[in-house]
Amino acid sequence: MKAIILFGHGARDSRWREPFDRLAELWREQQPKTPVELAFLEMMQPSLEEAVASLSAQGVNAITVVPVFFGQGGHLRNDFPALLEGCRGKFPDIALSATPAVGEDSAVLQAIVDFGASAL
């Protein structure tokens, strides 16, 4: 079974995660056959390892991690690969892959342009 992890930075203010919770709920509504978990780099739970463990307990054997970041900054270039490799070591029976940051996708950028244009 395949699953997805939406991976964000995390913040001290708990309200920061509200859009992530909405995003995960939209996923569940639109893709009910594919489990989704949130995970955060720092300051919030669950961690990437905790999210992988949760999905593993559900019988998932392939996980795609989607970094919900605007671009590939230092966290995605340095911290994230180390976390992903750590999870691969702890969960060798799960195929773990990752996409580029969502903000690098042209459809996401176009959605932001459309949002801005609709605000005019």
Side-chain angles (χ1 to χ4, degrees):
M1 176 172 33
K2 295 180 180 180
I4 191 167
I5 293 175
L6 302 169
F7 182 70
H9 184 277
R12 287 179 187 86
D13 187 336
S14 62
R15 295 171 296 181
W16 178 89
R17 80 175 277 149
E18 291 172 4
F20 289 85
D21 291 331
R22 290 195 312 267
L23 183 59
E25 188 54 37
L26 283 171
W27 179 273
R28 289 180 188 106
E29 290 170 5
Q30 296 175 28
Q31 305 291 329
K33 294 181 181 180
T34 305
V36 63
E37 290 284 338
L38 295 175
F40 299 97
L41 175 67
E42 58 188 9
M43 295 183 268
M44 291 188 155
Q45 298 298 319
S47 66
L48 183 60
E49 182 178 334
E50 290 167 337
V52 172
S54 174
L55 291 168
S56 175
Q58 297 174 49
V60 167
N61 59 11
I63 299 171
T64 301
V65 182
V66 177
V68 186
F69 284 67
F70 197 65
Q72 298 274 356
H75 285 311
L76 288 186
R77 287 193 179 108
N78 303 313
D79 304 326
F80 176 61
L83 291 172
L84 195 59
E85 281 307 309
C87 288
R88 286 182 176 133
K90 291 181 180 178
F91 302 93
D93 295 333
I94 297 178
L96 285 164
S97 62
T99 68
V102 297
E104 295 185 355
D105 183 83
S106 59
V108 172
L109 295 175
Q110 186 61 54
I112 294 168
V113 169
D114 294 344
F115 176 82
S118 71
L120 295 176

